[in-house]
Amino acid sequence: IVCIMNNKKGELTSKFGKKLKMERTKKDYSQEKLSSLSNISKNSISAIERGESIPSIETIEKLANALNMPVTELIDVSRVDL
């Protein structure tokens, strides 16, 4: 928690977006496919991936389920470089 609090504003959001895109492309999913599987709009997914939108916990859970991975794995941005 301390390391998260020390991050520059927006860094965590940007890292999560990058992680989401990485996991999506690993599965060879388009934003449209992830949208369909998660019931989250393509525009929302795009904004999250660009670090322009902060997803709710519910949204993160839907994305993790659609990507067939644990929420804890999706939110672990410790190895994501900007």
Side-chain angles (χ1 to χ4, degrees):
I1 294 174
V2 173
C3 68
I4 291 171
M5 292 172 65
N6 288 338
N7 280 338
K8 291 179 290 197
K9 186 177 180 187
E11 187 174 312
L12 188 61
T13 304
S14 295
K15 283 185 171 190
F16 180 78
K18 193 170 182 181
K19 174 80 180 271
L20 176 61
K21 184 173 184 176
M22 183 178 67
E23 295 298 339
R24 176 178 62 77
T25 56
K26 257 198 245 180
K27 295 200 178 296
D28 201 29
Y29 287 175
S30 64
Q31 288 180 342
E32 291 84 358
K33 168 105 175 168
L34 184 57
S35 173
S36 175
L37 292 171
S38 64
N39 202 27
I40 296 166
S41 76
K42 180 187 164 297
N43 287 342
S44 292
I45 291 169
S46 178
I48 293 166
E49 288 185 353
R50 291 190 315 270
E52 295 175 1
S53 177
I54 301 171
S56 68
I57 293 170
E58 183 179 307
T59 295
I60 292 170
E61 184 177 39
K62 286 179 180 180
L63 291 166
N65 288 339
L67 292 165
N68 197 29
M69 63 191 308
V71 169
T72 52
E73 186 178 338
L74 182 58
I75 64 171
D76 179 5
V77 295
S78 61
R79 294 190 177 110
V80 176
D81 294 321
L82 292 178

